[in-house]
């Protein structure tokens, strides 16, 4: 099968190691991966600000770059959810619809498509799990406490395959970190307070790292951690699943 790798803007600009880890991990698992060089932003920032009508250029470019692949994989739940819910190309509606059904966040692709059962990875650290909202509530990568149903987590399922890792959750395991895309710009004080609350619960567990499947959430938390001179670090799940630390 032909797989395309979609790397969101902020990963490309600020966390390129996450994109590299994603590519390496998929290739280790036997995937034939292509990185379309003309890819750009998926348009999520504009949609979050109420200007999704201005996304036509982004949508057309995405369809032009990704319509010829069997699957599209991205290390970002928020961008994947945006594309699943909003991508459309008036000139190529069938191609747009195909992409909406064949684009996957990394961990759901590993569990649902590749059916990964073992990983050759080690990470001898205590890691706090942050369940990013778009992945949890939009893509259903993990269960939500308010549903009162048995808990599940596709990312946790994969992390448990990593040798030497110790996992923990904050007390309120599915609470937002406060990033919320443009929310953190327009509601800075609220956003920071929410992030500090998340970090406090992780630090009570004395974690070495906080991991998530959205670098946007991790970027927000990292900014707070660095300002507070905390010893806790952030790391994307792709880096853990790919590595031998």
């Amino acid at each position: 099968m032909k797989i395309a790798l979609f790397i969101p803007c902020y990963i490309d600009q600020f966390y390129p190691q996450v994109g590299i880890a994603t590519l390496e991990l998929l290739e280790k698992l036997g995937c034939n991966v292509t990185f379309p060089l003309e890819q750009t932003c998926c348009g999520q920032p504009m949609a979050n600000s109420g200007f999704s009508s201005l996304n036509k250029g982004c949508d057309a470019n995405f369809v032009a770059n990704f319509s010829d692949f069997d699957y599209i994989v991205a290390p970002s739940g928020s961008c994947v959810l945006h594309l699943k819910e909003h991508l459309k190309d008036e000139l190529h509606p069938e191609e747009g619809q195909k992409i909406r059904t064949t684009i996957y966040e990394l961990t759901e692709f590993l569990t649902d498509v590749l059916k990964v059962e073992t990983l050759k990875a080690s990470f001898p650290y205590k890691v706090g799990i942050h369940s990013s909202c778009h992945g949890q509530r939009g893509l259903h990568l993990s269960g939500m406490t308010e549903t009162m149903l048995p808990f599940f987590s596709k990312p946790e399922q994969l992390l448990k395959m990593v040798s030497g890792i110790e996992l923990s959750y904050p007390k309120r395991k599915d609470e937002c970190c406060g990033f919320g895309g443009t929310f953190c710009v327009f509601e800075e004080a609220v956003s920071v307070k929410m992030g500090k609350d998340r970090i406090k619960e992780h630090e009570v567990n004395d974690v070495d790292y906080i991991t998530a499947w959205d670098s946007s959430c991790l970027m927000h938390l990292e900014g707070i951690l660095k300002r507070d001179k905390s010893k806790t670090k952030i790391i994307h799940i792709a880096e853990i699943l790919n590595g031998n630390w």
Side-chain angles (χ1 to χ4, degrees), residues 13-195:
Q13 294 296 316
F14 302 122
Y15 300 99
Q17 71 274 15
V18 174
I20 293 169
T22 302
L23 172 63
E24 290 179 346
L25 176 60
L26 290 171
E27 290 182 337
K28 286 178 183 177
L29 294 170
C31 297
N32 178 17
V33 185
T34 300
F35 179 77
L37 294 177
E38 300 300 318
Q39 62 178 280
T40 59
C41 179
C42 67
Q44 183 188 175
M46 288 181 285
N48 285 348
S49 299
F51 298 104
S52 58
S53 61
L54 302 180
N55 274 355
K56 292 181 180 179
C58 291
D59 289 348
N61 186 69
F62 199 94
V63 170
N65 276 276
F66 289 97
S67 60
D68 292 333
F69 295 92
D70 300 314
Y71 294 100
I72 304 156
V73 181
S76 167
S78 61
C79 291
V80 167
L81 181 63
H82 167 74
L83 289 163
K84 279 184 173 292
E85 293 188 339
H86 298 288
L87 178 70
K88 60 180 178 180
D89 185 345
E90 294 176 357
L91 296 179
H92 305 92
E94 292 184 0
E95 287 88 343
Q97 179 58 35
K98 176 195 171 189
I99 289 173
R100 291 173 69 166
T101 59
T102 56
I103 187 166
Y104 283 80
E105 182 274 337
L106 174 63
T107 63
E108 67 171 343
F109 183 75
L110 298 184
T111 57
D112 297 0
V113 179
L114 295 186
K115 309 290 186 183
V116 171
E117 295 183 354
T118 60
L119 287 169
K120 294 181 179 179
S122 63
F123 195 73
Y125 300 97
K126 187 172 184 179
V127 178
I129 296 176
H130 172 68
S131 299
S132 303
C133 297
H134 285 86
Q136 182 178 44
R137 302 182 184 282
L139 298 176
H140 305 295
L141 301 182
S142 61
M144 298 168 280
T145 55
E146 66 267 22
T147 62
M148 305 299 287
L149 296 172
F151 181 74
F152 71 94
S153 171
K154 296 175 184 179
E156 182 184 337
Q157 175 183 330
L158 293 166
L159 287 168
K160 286 183 174 178
M161 300 176 193
V162 176
S163 174
I165 197 168
E166 181 182 354
L167 301 174
S168 75
Y169 278 101
K171 182 178 180 181
R172 294 170 294 183
K173 65 168 60 177
D174 53 7
E175 186 170 298
C176 179
C177 70
F179 177 69
T182 52
F183 173 81
C184 71
V185 177
F186 299 126
E187 297 289 349
E188 177 186 355
V190 178
S191 173
V192 171
K193 180 61 168 67
M194 293 172 72

